[in-house]
Amino acid sequence: MTDLPLLSITIFLPAIGALLLLFLKDSMEQLQKMLALIVSALTFIVSLPLYFSFNSNTAAFQFEENYTWISAIGANYHVGIDGISLLMIMLTTFLGPLVVLSAWNAVHKSLKGFLISLLVLETGMLGVFASLDIFLFYIFWEAMLIPMYFVIGIWGGQRRVYAAVKFFIYTMVGSLLMMVAILFAYFYVGEQTGTYSFDYIHLRDFLMPVEIQKWLFLAFGLSFAIKVPMFPFHTWLPDAHVEAPTAGSVILAGVLLKMGTYGFLRFCLPMFPNATFIFAPLISILAVIGILYGAWVAMVQKDVKKLVAYSSVSHLGFVMLGIFSFTHQGMQGGLIQMVNHGLSTGALFLIVGMIYERRHTRMIEDFGGLARQIPIFTTFFMIVTLSSIGLPGLNGFVGEFLVLLGTFQTNVTLAVLATSGVIFAAVYMLWMFKRVMFGPITREENKRLTDLSKREVAVLVPIVVFIVWIGVYAQPFLGKMEKSVDSLLAQLKAKQTALVQPGNEIIGGGE
Amino acid sequence: MNGFEFDWIAIAPFLILSVLGFAVVVLGISFPKMYRGTLGTIVLVGFAVAFLASLQSWDDARLAFGGMITADKFSSAFSCIFILGATLTIGLSINQVEEKYLLYSDYFALVVFATAGMTLMASGTNLLTLFLGLETLSIALYVLAGFRRSNEFALEASFKYFLLGAFASGFLLYGIALIYGITGSTDLTKISAYVSSEGILGSKMFFAGFLLLLVGFGFKISVFPFHLWAPDVYQGAPTPISAFMATGSKAAGFAALMRFMIAMQSTTQSGWQDIIWVIAAATMILGNVIALRQSNVKRMLAYSSIAHAGYILIGVLAGNTIGSSGIIFYLLTYTFMNIGAFGVISYLSTAEHEFITLSDFRGLASSRPFAAIAMAAFMFSLAGIPPLAGFMAKFYLFSAGVKAGYVWLVIIAVVTSMISLYYYLGLVVQMFMRDKEADVAATAPLQPAVMIAISIAMLAILILGIFPSRWVSLFQDLARSLM
């Protein structure tokens, strides 16, 4: 591997860009946009070697960097990636420039602040996915809230303040309890091993008693479940999504929500394996409820953006179900579904944003018959819609299929229920699509719609390429995560037996 | 070392500050037309000297005056915090004073005397020295609280502070008398020896004395149920003085309390933990909940400062190395973020219009971006959001609580922190997400000294938040030397 600290460069490049933006005058809007675009594109380019020289034959962390940070408490700047975080990092850097491009003409006040927020946000998200020190992870996890709060609160829609505050407080509630749990784990493991450290691997490799695991799992889990969001902690999501500007929604759906599922994979499962098995039935049930509930509520939405928001609840349910099936296919499916959802839902929000910029409405009833007016738009919308409902040949299918395959091996009932969720998804998406795109044109304004500009096409094409690519040939992506998923499952199984053997009876049932 | 020799270095900060205070008074009388900035500069230079003098005793702990004074890492660190706070306060005051008050030399002198009192509180290891320091500090503050003589709130503030403060001093003295009656000494080392052998509940009289002392200190650090003065006084006092009281005076109270508590801690079964536990929990809950309802930003900050005193009590309760170093780190951070927040108010206020209601802050981001960004940073830091120092301080302090086994208290702290988010964010919402109603308050003149003070505070919370390592290690050394 190279000597350059590639991972750190990737993480902090956007932040440096944000710093540079600070020095530009408010009036130089064009220059600000160019700078933000170049920085985020550069971040993507810098991150490419991470993907291409990633060694798929090992589950070990790669591109590791480990420096002492706060020696007095044993917190290090420790970053590194494995097959699980690699795709998340790539997804984040990939969406970065697209998001900037999508906001080209959409922001009408303090553009500089907006771009700075976006770039800082990107650094925060990348940091979350790369951190191998729990303290560092927590810093990134929390720090990211501030820019998102501003993005929703300043540049959002009508009820933006309400949505921003709700988003902030919901997320903080979870993370503050997680902070107590982190501290507890830190001291507990420190006392037992004599080494006080926030290092992820140090904490992960120590097996805690089941009783403690349960509490810590709940505290970490709550924080992640709110972020995912899992039913019944999802109520912040529709508000945040609907009120956020397009760029904010794309980041929210594309990357932010994945931080929750990623948190489960990275922390909850390996650190609290026994508690994971205890709570797995509960979480699987909540996941299925989320799938169905999200789909049903999406069906009756009048606002396209809200519909997409609720579809997120449903899609993320699949991810959770896959992860908690503890099968190879299920987990791989969950992971690839995380990427898929980032692409498809991200694209859907972009598309909704594009039509909103033209018509300043998102109500389904205000549209109809758009297909004849704006054919390019229609094509993209069609592909993305089909990807979202999991049509074979497009990416959504791969993820959902693997998840269902994995779930069938462990729990047939849940799998059957979840499958019906796929059908509902087809119903609400296609029905919405029909009402918006087909039929007679009922509004005069819709006759004067202009088709997508070159910039907008440039935003959508890369996403569609990956939608098709993953759908047709997902093996390269699955291959990258293969070993990490195997190793995670092996760890889970090993730790479970390790604790059961000395006569430590595991008492089932949640609290 | 236990002789009665006159040790200059041990009391150097106190001496320098006292001399500085008198010098300022004399200069003020001799040259009534002296430019305010010049006088301020003299004070700042004096502070710098006192700062260096306090650093002297960091590596070289010494007892002086038969154990009345202990100059060690603890007193050194605290004195530095006080002087930093006072320096920023002077920075905030330079323009303020010029515009609003005639008696500027008295104002500066009182700030200096108050600081001198604080340094005495940090280095006192005898109850009488602590009391002496406390009184020096308090009397200066009573006057400062009422400095806006024409303002009705200021009169109320001064009077209320004085009256309640006098009672608190009375309690403190009475407590000292009782403890003296039982132990035959006011020396903390001897009292500590008594506690080791008899326990804190060994005699009812001693316990009564202990409780009375708690009341006295509790008043100074404004914890429940001795917090009632704080909101009114903060509201009425000149804004820089509110900042000074919320940070320096509170830190001094904690310094004295810590000295006292360390003496009380000599046994494992001390019996005071439950009391502090309840006070801490009640203070956090009450401070944060009432702050929710405030529309006056100064009052909001007052309640928030009450809540923060509750958080800091976790460190006192934990009584371990992390706890003690956590308190000092917290107080250092808190000094910067709170003076910063009050500083922004001061920065925006004019002689005619005090910039204190939530609606004043509407749309500030577009009219005064510097002030708005600074205020937002201080609010996020007070709320404890990384990467700002407020988070690091809270995290560190809470970790002390978890380590000492007070998980539930920490959970209460965490839950009340969530509540606090709402009002801290409320101010940010006003500044960034609401539009201005009318252009009333945008006329405050630019005040370079205040702007510099705010910038320093902002830089400090960033540095302490992102690179706390060095400071944490230093304070841990300090805490280890205490144990």
Side-chain angles (χ1 to χ4, degrees), chain A residues 69 135 142 153 168 183 187, chain B residues 385-386 395 399 429 433 466 469:
Chain A
W69 179 31
F135 189 72
E142 291 278 272
F168 202 102
L183 283 172
F187 283 116
Chain B
I385 304 201
F395 186 86
S399 76
V429 166
M433 301 172 194
I466 301 174
S469 184

Side-chain angles (χ1 to χ4, degrees), chain B residues 105-120:
Chain B
S105 68
D106 303 19
Y107 178 99
F108 284 165
L110 284 167
V111 172
V112 176
F113 283 131
T115 316
M118 292 175 192
T119 59
L120 203 56

Side-chain angles (χ1 to χ4, degrees), chain A residues 353-369:
Chain A
M354 287 166 187
I355 197 76
Y356 181 78
E357 266 178 54
R358 289 170 169 72
R359 285 279 281 103
H360 296 284
T361 172
R362 290 184 304 252
M363 293 297 152
I364 295 175
E365 60 182 17
D366 289 339
F367 300 107

Side-chain angles (χ1 to χ4, degrees), chain A residues 337-365:
Chain A
Q337 185 65 8
M338 278 157 76
V339 178
N340 290 341
H341 178 260
L343 296 172
S344 318
T345 310
L348 277 175
F349 278 121
L350 287 171
I351 285 171
V352 174
M354 287 166 187
I355 197 76
Y356 181 78
E357 266 178 54
R358 289 170 169 72
R359 285 279 281 103
H360 296 284
T361 172
R362 290 184 304 252
M363 293 297 152
I364 295 175
E365 60 182 17

